[in-house]
Amino acid sequence: MFIGTEKLTHTYMPGTPFAMEALKEVSFSLSRGEFALIIGPSGSGKSTLIQHLNGLLKPTSGQVFFEDRAIGSDKTELLKLRRRIGLVFQMPEEQFFSETVFDEVAFAPRNLGLDEEQVRTGVKDALEKVGLDAELLYDRHPFQLSAGQKRLVALAAVLSLNPEVLILDEPTAGLDPAGRRHLFLLLDRLNRDTGLSVLVCTHHLDEAAAFANTVLVLQGGKVILSGPAEEVFAKRDQLYNLGLALPAVTEIMYGLVEKKLPVRTNIYTIDEARKEINKLKGRQE
Ligand SMILES: Nc1ncnc2c1ncn2[C@@H]1O[C@H](COP(=O)(O)OP(=O)(O)O)[C@@H](O)[C@H]1O
Ligand SMILES: [Mg+2]
């Protein structure tokens, strides 16, 4: 198993009247190079689950695996693990603490004790990976940037350590439609071009559906569906009942099928829909 869990259970505030079982025997596994989505309504356990994947939370019972080895509690091992599995929190820019974009992105490489030359290269590479003009932004205050740019700087700060797995918690929260699209296209490119494994938690399928290979659906702390994206998204009614709507464009394709038009329903982008509908025109002419 590249990364995954076995019967992972997590209880917040155990043994108190506030005890809350946020994950219940969650088992899943992902292969290297995948683009996976963890979806589920608010409170279903998504954020709790991903904080286990790089050892920020400890299982109440069960285990977390990385490269076939159970993650333990040895401090040095955990630090190494966090270099290889990067976690981008929800609204990460709220945690910015540096005076300049450069220092913000340089924090992790400096913390590793790299020399300033290596830090400089790391920061430049990371900003370039997210498509930002490094030289132009170095001296800017992070809070002077647009919402989309701040999110990209936060992403660069995690990429500066060259992780093998990138986990993002609701990465498009608070972004406008162009920012959301840009972010997913970027994640898709990083996944394809560099082999980075990507794991995204979200409750919006609109932008995310087109990019996923694998999907894990949580409800009330339990895995209720998982598998290849096509199979999971085919369970439209079940997802709908959880408040997880398929992309609007997919719903339109289902509407056409109901009108007896021969179109595919595994369509998640406007471009794909346009092509499919154009084929239909061809058939009728
Ligand atoms: N620090 C915490 N202390 C107590 N309960 C928590 C804490 N964090 C989350 N929970 C609870 O655990 C459940 C799962 O939360 P979370 O993992 O944040 O879900 P999601 O990310 O899917 O919205 C929710 O019922 C939530 O209220
Ligand atoms: Mg969450």
Side-chain angles (χ1 to χ4, degrees), residues 46-47 90 169-170:
K46 303 180 296 295
S47 300
Q90 199 166 347
D169 198 354
E170 310 275 2

Side-chain angles (χ1 to χ4, degrees), residues 76-150:
T76 332
E77 289 288 316
L78 280 176
L79 284 179
K80 269 196 221 154
L81 184 80
R82 288 185 195 135
R83 241 178 273 161
R84 300 178 64 191
I85 303 178
L87 184 55
V88 182
F89 287 101
Q90 199 166 347
M91 306 297 269
E93 56 281 351
E94 285 174 0
Q95 286 161 38
F96 281 169
F97 51 85
S98 304
E99 298 288 313
T100 66
V101 167
F102 185 92
D103 287 342
E104 194 64 52
V105 180
F107 178 76
R110 278 181 181 146
N111 220 19
L112 272 187
L114 301 186
D115 67 45
E116 252 337 86
E117 186 61 38
Q118 289 169 311
V119 169
R120 223 177 163 73
T121 316
V123 172
K124 189 166 190 290
D125 287 352
L127 286 169
E128 278 171 2
K129 268 192 193 161
V130 302
L132 290 174
D133 186 331
E135 307 280 345
L136 204 70
L137 291 181
Y138 277 164
D139 299 326
R140 298 278 294 277
H141 196 288
F143 292 129
Q144 292 172 341
L145 308 177
S146 72
Q149 284 175 323
K150 277 186 215 159

Side-chain angles (χ1 to χ4, degrees), residues 169-189:
D169 198 354
E170 310 275 2
T172 55
L175 298 184
D176 64 12
R180 296 202 291 263
R181 187 171 159 69
H182 179 77
L183 187 76
F184 267 103
L185 286 171
L186 173 67
L187 295 175
D188 185 53
R189 209 181 59 224

